[in-house]
Amino acid sequence: MNERITPTLIGQRPATRDDLRYLRRALALARRGLGRTSPNPMVGAVVVRNGQIVGEGYHPKAGELHAEVFALRAAGERARGATLYVSLEPCSHYGRTPPCADAVIQAGIRRVVAASQDPNPLVAGRGLEKLRAAGIEVECGPLRAEEERLNEAYRHWIVSRQPFVTLKLAASLDGKLATRTGDSRWITGEAARHDVHRLRAACDAVLTTAATVLADDPALTARLPGAHQPRRVVVDVGLRTSPDARVYAPGDPPPLLATVVDDPVRLAPYRSRGIEVLPLPDRDGHVDLQALMAALGAREVVSLMVECGGRFAAALLEAGCAQKIRLYLAPLLIGGEEAVPALGGPGAALLADAPRLRDVTWKRLGDDFRVEGYVY
């Protein structure tokens, strides 16, 4: 039964069950580009004719063809008179590739159903209007919330030009990152650690601090078959880390060292290893976090995962530089006033001042729990 369900933002009629089904397929295709499309959004497209899918596609990587073009090429002549379902409004401008709206028009598509508009000022409704001006029936809005959640990092970066930051923490039930002796391996189990690698693979970059490098010598790679490898970023105010640390292993793009030191002699060992150095302003003996985020955004880091100790985590929250928290809780009680807390620093003086999370979700991973939410 082709029943009407959800009202649209643009168009003459509500979405049908079939519309929602094909849009969900487009969103599922879009997710295949996770971690690989920046600074572009993830987009999926489905061409349907006479109730049958005749073409599909997704955007695999920035600089390559967009989802609509792949789907239209797969459909060929069957695209003429068909409906195109796309998770995001087709672009209308020349970037690294020609406008997708032009390709849709040339293919003879009769109707376009888009889950959401593109927030990019270069598009922002212009693609839909171009299609309508060509006589194509256009509807936009069904599953908008799902698309916005899928591309939350892209949307944040487009508006702020700063990365969408996910702060990852792993703690015992009593909120400790490590024992009083610094022992922290491993608080969580294998399933939770596997989930962390999936998050790394989904992000453009992973950031840590000198303290974590000195304590753990992490590689910060995504250890999954065929996974996208995020750029590694180290915040080292006084150049305490060794250029030979595992986190500085060669990569494309190269590891990035953020520091307040601007001495060519002291920085030479890092640069000789192919490490990009990012000198930043000193704010009370620490890196200026807003300047750091602006610099990463300018380097097209759209999504950023942060793995760090309690002090830097607290500083991020205090500076308003974290948009999402992912906390892995282990069924473990460490105890002790000298144990390392998940959040350091002075903390909130009043409950009313403490950051709160919204849209919180829980998921069990082996014996551990993953708690995720957005910072108010």
Side-chain angles (χ1 to χ4, degrees):
M1 183 176 179
N2 213 14
E3 179 183 345
R4 293 181 177 183
I5 302 176
T6 309
T8 60
L9 300 179
I10 298 175
Q12 294 75 43
R13 60 183 179 181
T16 66
R17 287 190 186 276
D18 283 345
D19 289 338
L20 298 181
R21 177 161 62 94
Y22 294 129
L23 277 178
R24 289 192 178 100
R25 175 59 182 166
L27 285 164
L29 289 167
R31 290 187 186 94
R32 295 184 181 180
L34 188 65
R36 302 178 186 274
T37 64
S38 289
N40 295 343
M42 291 173 277
V43 183
V46 177
V47 180
V48 176
R49 183 171 181 175
N50 297 328
Q52 297 292 323
I53 294 177
V54 296
E56 293 184 334
Y58 70 97
H59 183 43
K61 185 180 179 181
E64 295 191 10
L65 297 176
H66 290 186
E68 300 93 323
V69 177
F70 280 114
L72 292 171
R73 286 187 175 182
E77 282 302 312
R78 294 174 294 177
R80 194 160 299 278
T83 297
L84 172 68
Y85 294 90
V86 62
S87 60
L88 190 66
E89 170 187 9
C91 63
S92 56
H93 66 292
Y94 281 89
R96 297 176 181 175
T97 59
C100 289
D102 291 354
V104 173
I105 294 168
Q106 292 165 8
I109 289 290
R110 177 185 61 84
R111 177 174 175 243
V112 171
V113 183
S116 184
Q117 287 189 14
D118 192 331
N120 188 337
L122 296 175
V123 187
R126 292 182 178 89
L128 299 177
E129 288 303 323
K130 192 171 190 177
L131 297 176
R132 296 180 75 189
I136 297 174
E137 182 182 346
V138 175
E139 287 146 29
C140 178
L143 305 188
R144 174 182 174 182
E146 288 88 337
E147 189 284 324
E148 289 181 347
R149 182 60 57 90
L150 174 68
N151 280 311
E152 60 189 7
Y154 165 75
R155 290 177 173 275
H156 175 82
W157 178 77
I158 280 291
V159 172
S160 68
R161 289 297 165 178
Q162 294 190 6
F164 181 93
V165 176
T166 299
L167 174 59
K168 170 259 170 183
L169 300 168
S172 61
L173 285 180
D174 55 342
K176 307 297 185 181
L177 294 182
T179 68
R180 59 183 173 81
T181 64
D183 184 22
S184 62
R185 292 190 174 183
W186 296 100
I187 285 181
T188 56
E190 184 177 346
R193 296 198 299 274
H194 180 81
D195 196 63
V196 171
H197 287 288
R198 292 201 302 170
L199 178 58
R200 287 179 184 172
C203 291
D204 298 330
V206 178
L207 181 147
T208 194
T209 62
T212 299
V213 173
L214 292 172
D216 301 330
D217 192 24
L220 292 188
T221 54
R223 292 188 284 279
L224 300 171
H228 157 75
Q229 294 302 325
R231 186 173 197 182
R232 289 147 292 152
V233 182
V234 178
V235 176
D236 186 354
V237 176
L239 300 185
R240 295 190 296 150
T241 57
S242 166
D244 297 320
R246 292 203 302 161
V247 73
Y248 293 130
D252 182 23
L256 183 64
L257 169 63
T259 182
V260 301
V261 176
D262 197 14
D263 181 347
V265 174
R266 294 184 62 192
L267 293 173
Y270 299 91
R271 289 187 167 125
S272 68
R273 289 269 295 170
I275 301 165
E276 181 184 353
V277 176
L278 175 61
L280 290 171
D282 184 328
R283 183 177 289 273
D284 300 324
H286 302 282
V287 164
D288 186 315
L289 291 177
Q290 292 293 344
L292 171 62
M293 294 304 159
L296 292 177
R299 285 164 173 75
E300 296 187 341
V301 174
V302 174
S303 54
L304 176 67
M305 176 185 178
V306 177
E307 299 188 58
C308 62
R311 287 185 179 275
F312 193 80
L316 275 178
L317 289 170
E318 185 178 350
C321 291
Q323 284 69 52
K324 183 189 280 188
I325 305 295
R326 180 175 286 193
L327 171 62
Y328 296 91
L329 282 174
L332 178 70
L333 298 171
I334 293 177
E337 294 181 356
E338 296 180 6
V340 183
L343 291 177
L350 301 172
L351 288 178
D353 299 330
R356 289 188 178 271
L357 302 185
R358 59 178 173 82
D359 298 338
V360 177
T361 59
W362 294 71
K363 183 176 182 178
R364 185 160 188 169
L365 298 168
D367 292 332
D368 306 316
F369 285 92
R370 185 186 76 192
V371 186
E372 188 170 78
Y374 297 85
V375 182
Y376 273 120

